[in-house]
Amino acid sequence: MSYQTISIAGLLYILAMPIYIVYVLTKNNKVGYIATATLSFGALIHIYGFIQRFKEMYAINHSIMRSIPITNLYESLIFFVLCLIVGYLFIEWKYKKKSFGVFISIVAGITIGLTDLLGISKEVQPLVPALKSNWLLAHVTLSFISYAAFGISFITGLLHVIMESQDKKSFKYIFSTTLLGFMLFMFISVIIDIITASNPKTVKIFHSTIGNPSVFISIISWMILIFLIFITWKFGHILNKILNSFKIDSNFLEDITYKGIAFGFPIFTIGGLVFGAIWADQAWGRYWGWDPKETWSLITWFVYAFYFHAKFIRGWRGTKTSMIAVVGFIVTIFTYLGVNLFLSGLHSYGSM
């Protein structure tokens, strides 16, 4: 089965993480080659699993164009991760730097792992009428390529902000530590959601913590969230020292952040908005209807458009624009997942 093959790729991504850490600490070239080889091997298995998935879909759809596996949440996630890994390996090859490979491998491994733990449906099913369009293929494919580019910019942008933040009273320090504290809380919350769910398919994000029906548990969860944010703010300078000890070039991180968005933004504009509007006209008889997904896609576009505008504003370069890149990907993730999970709309086929 294709999902089993892709799960093996996820394990290899997680295995690459400690190897990248050892490389960053020791700068041993042999260890670096092993880290790259592990990540690359995982990508090859991932591609093989993607092809397997295509064959499984072709067996029921009998059409090449209708069998590209990007039509539900599981398939879009594994395609996103594949684009993320391929994009990172290209950067590593082009710039001969492995400085943020550990963070890419973490994101890739956890994302594939969550598709198993959250019980996201992996069943191969015939396409619903709205998905039987060649414009869908172009729309979704280009959208997730741009999401992967934005994802790389998010990682490099956040690292850039953390490395340049030492003053606890500065906005960029508060911004980065607050975000890290929230991400830590969300990770712990998802683990508790999974453990307490009677069935993996019934897992609801934050249901066991801040979204719990019990007011008492919800209040305690909010207090824990605030406490974690305080802890990351209090000891965030340690993470700053650790990253700086890795001797990661902050100018390189800022440059990759910019190039990632410069690559992803036009693709998102054409694939996410223009092709999406054409597909919407075919599927629902109108180009634009202010559906939540469409509205948040437009908001995402404006955030990244502001990023480029900010690059030309005096005093906005450096960590300020990196923070916009971080915010942009948070909005992207909400457009991608949050709209499906928390809002209702015509894109409901993308839910879990």
Side-chain angles (χ1 to χ4, degrees), residues 6 52 83 94 118 138 152 165 177 230 251 255 257 286 288 316 325 332-333 336 351:
I6 292 170
Q52 279 185 308
C83 292
K94 182 175 177 60
L118 292 177
I152 290 174
S165 304
T177 53
F230 172 76
N251 291 327
D255 184 50
T257 302
R286 84 294 185 279
W288 194 268
W316 270 84
T332 301
I333 287 296
Y336 174 25
S351 65

Side-chain angles (χ1 to χ4, degrees), residues 50-69:
F50 195 77
I51 295 172
Q52 279 185 308
R53 184 80 180 184
F54 171 83
K55 291 180 177 178
E56 292 167 359
M57 292 190 67
Y58 185 80
I60 61 172
N61 290 314
H62 307 293
S63 167
I64 293 177
M65 298 300 288
R66 304 286 183 268
S67 301
I68 307 296

Side-chain angles (χ1 to χ4, degrees), residues 114-190:
L114 286 178
T115 63
D116 289 324
L117 295 174
L118 292 177
I120 295 175
S121 176
K122 303 176 181 63
E123 295 180 9
V124 179
Q125 297 177 337
L127 297 179
V128 299
L131 301 182
K132 294 180 179 178
S133 168
N134 292 338
W135 287 107
L136 170 75
L137 177 65
H139 166 56
V140 178
T141 303
L142 293 179
S143 292
F144 282 99
I145 290 174
S146 64
Y147 288 178
F150 295 157
I152 290 174
S153 294
F154 167 78
I155 292 172
T156 54
L158 183 58
L159 289 174
H160 181 220
V161 175
I162 293 172
M163 290 183 63
E164 295 295 319
S165 304
Q166 296 178 344
D167 181 3
K168 291 184 178 180
K169 296 181 181 179
S170 68
F171 177 75
K172 57 188 178 184
Y173 182 90
I174 295 172
F175 172 85
S176 60
T177 53
T178 299
L179 180 60
L180 288 173
F182 180 78
M183 290 170 64
L184 177 61
F185 174 82
M186 186 171 69
F187 181 76
I188 295 172
S189 181
V190 170

